[in-house]
Structures are given as structure tokens and as C-alpha cells.
Amino acid sequence: MRRFVLLFVSGWWLALASFCMGAGFQVTPILQEISMGEETALYQVRNTGESPVTIQVSARSWHQENGERVTLDTAGVQSSPPLITLEPGQDEWVRVTLTEKRTNEEQAFRVYFSQVPETAQTLSPGVRTLIRLDTPLFFQAREPKTNLQWALQLDEAGWHLQVHNVGTRFGQMTRLAVETDGGRRLPILESVRYILPGASESWLLDLTDDEARGGLSLQVVSGGQVQFQPLKPD
């Protein structure tokens, strides 16, 4: 009996996943922003394994609702070629082109590079692990600018940290934490997170009323830089 395990890899962890399995593929770059006037993103796909690999390239439109990612089928972008087979050590360029009308607002997509299962004749018994790499692609707004607004709010569930992107460009965070005036640190986020224009997200904090009203420090890691700002209840 042969079973398949599909490994979803979001951007930054692909190299680690490939190393751990001893086989796989790499895609560069992971994150792409395409400026106004351009319509095509270029990706280099390389077989880092020891056997041929076939990869399907597809894309879905992307937006956020209540802090959750929502992706939808779209004909707004097309990949060329949509399917590639690479020998060990071989690489190939893939083009992902915007085919829908360019707007003045940011247009966001997720591009997927999915390993295709081998045919039944070439499979060995046991579990086979397949990789599906999920990468963000942005076609920039005419005037791209990230503007994240932070707030500390109280409801019946407790204190929440809320962020709302009022800008025209996505916000990216790789680490997020809150520290109380007494020095207690509350880690919130330890992985890559995007906040799209117009989107919001909130996190419930383990805070007492005294800690919340006593003053907090918000620590955000974005683009390799650490940002600090005071945080007080609304």
C-alpha cells in the first residue's frame, strides 16, 4: 500500500524541509512585489534532490477576513510553463503574469509550487512525502505605503491586541510580543504573518487590568528591523 503525505511549506521554511527529507526543490525568490508598470514575476525553480521531480505551478487570489486567509480560484494570473519536470541539479525559470486589469490598489495572490506524485510504476512501497510551496505575490498599488495601526481593547473575553492596516501596502511581521511595565513578556507571534491593506487581526492577551492600564511596550520584528512603541488602552 502506498500513501502520500502532502507537506505544506510557507516560504521561508522550504530549505529546511528539503534538507530534512534529503530531497526536494527550491524556489527563489519567495516573496515578490511587482511595481506599477510591470506585469510579470520571475521564479527560479531548482531540483535539489537526487531524482527527477515534476512541479505544477498555480495561483489563487488572496484576501483576508476576520484575520483569516481566504484564497479563491482566479484567472487573473497565469503561469508559464504551468508544469515542469526537472532532473537532479536542473533549474528552470517560471513566469507568473497578471492577466486581469491592473488597478490603483494592491493585488495579492498566493503562488503554489506543488510536487506531482510519480506514476504508480515508479513508486516504492510506503509513505511518500510531497512538497507544496506556498508563496506570496503582490502587484503594488500606485502609491504603496504600509500603515499599521495598533490598539489595546477590552471586551468580555479579556484584553485584545488589535492591528489594522490602513495603508495601501501589505504589512509583514516575523515576530510580535508585548511586554508589561513590570517586565513580563507575552510572545504573540513567532512566524511570518501578513496584514493586507484594509485587513485587521487581533490576539487575546493574558493580561490583568492593572498590567494593561499600567503601560505596555509593543515589540514588532518586520523586515529584519525591531520596532518598539508604547501601547495603552483605547
Side-chain angles (χ1 to χ4, degrees):
M1 181 178 180
R2 303 179 179 93
R3 291 181 295 157
F4 291 97
V5 175
L6 185 61
L7 176 64
F8 290 89
V9 187
S10 182
W12 313 106
W13 300 107
L14 179 62
L16 175 61
S18 299
F19 175 79
C20 291
M21 293 185 294
F25 61 90
Q26 292 179 343
V27 176
T28 53
I30 295 300
L31 166 65
Q32 293 221 49
E33 283 188 86
I34 309 302
S35 59
M36 189 65 68
E38 302 291 334
E39 296 181 343
T40 299
L42 286 175
Y43 296 88
Q44 186 179 35
V45 186
R46 181 177 180 84
N47 183 354
T48 59
E50 299 176 354
S51 58
V53 62
T54 298
I55 301 163
Q56 182 180 21
V57 186
S58 60
R60 294 172 65 87
S61 65
W62 172 27
H63 66 281
Q64 293 172 324
E65 293 180 1
N66 300 319
E68 299 294 329
R69 179 201 294 189
V70 178
T71 61
L72 300 172
D73 290 336
T74 181
V77 289
Q78 293 184 354
S79 58
S80 177
L83 193 70
I84 56 175
T85 298
L86 301 174
E87 297 295 326
Q90 183 183 0
D91 58 55
E92 185 168 338
W93 290 94
V94 174
R95 291 174 170 81
V96 178
T97 302
L98 182 70
T99 56
E100 67 184 24
K101 183 179 179 180
R102 192 74 184 256
T103 71
N104 289 330
E105 299 177 348
E106 182 176 84
Q107 293 159 274
F109 300 88
R110 305 297 299 202
V111 181
Y112 302 94
F113 297 84
S114 306
Q115 183 177 354
V116 177
E118 301 94 331
T119 62
Q121 289 78 11
T122 62
L123 284 173
S124 58
V127 176
R128 306 285 294 192
T129 302
L130 303 178
I131 300 173
R132 188 188 192 198
L133 174 62
D134 173 1
T135 70
L137 170 61
F138 301 96
F139 291 88
Q140 286 186 335
R142 185 166 297 279
E143 297 181 359
K145 183 179 181 180
T146 301
N147 188 353
L148 300 181
Q149 300 291 317
W150 299 90
L152 185 64
Q153 298 180 334
L154 178 64
D155 63 19
E156 59 184 18
W159 289 98
H160 292 259
L161 174 66
Q162 184 179 67
V163 61
H164 180 55
N165 188 352
V166 298
T168 57
R169 179 181 179 269
F170 70 92
Q172 182 199 66
M173 300 173 289
T174 55
R175 189 174 300 167
L176 178 64
V178 167
E179 188 170 307
T180 69
D181 189 51
R184 190 163 73 94
R185 181 178 174 82
L186 304 176
I188 299 171
L189 184 66
E190 297 287 342
S191 59
V192 178
R193 186 69 58 89
Y194 295 93
I195 307 295
L196 301 183
S200 300
E201 188 162 356
S202 66
W203 299 268
L204 180 63
L205 303 179
D206 179 22
L207 284 175
T208 66
D209 290 349
D210 288 343
E211 286 176 325
R213 296 191 171 96
L216 303 173
S217 173
L218 178 66
Q219 303 173 19
V220 183
V221 178
S222 178
Q225 296 183 337
V226 183
Q227 303 170 14
F228 297 89
Q229 70 178 71
L231 189 65
K232 292 185 178 297
D234 285 350

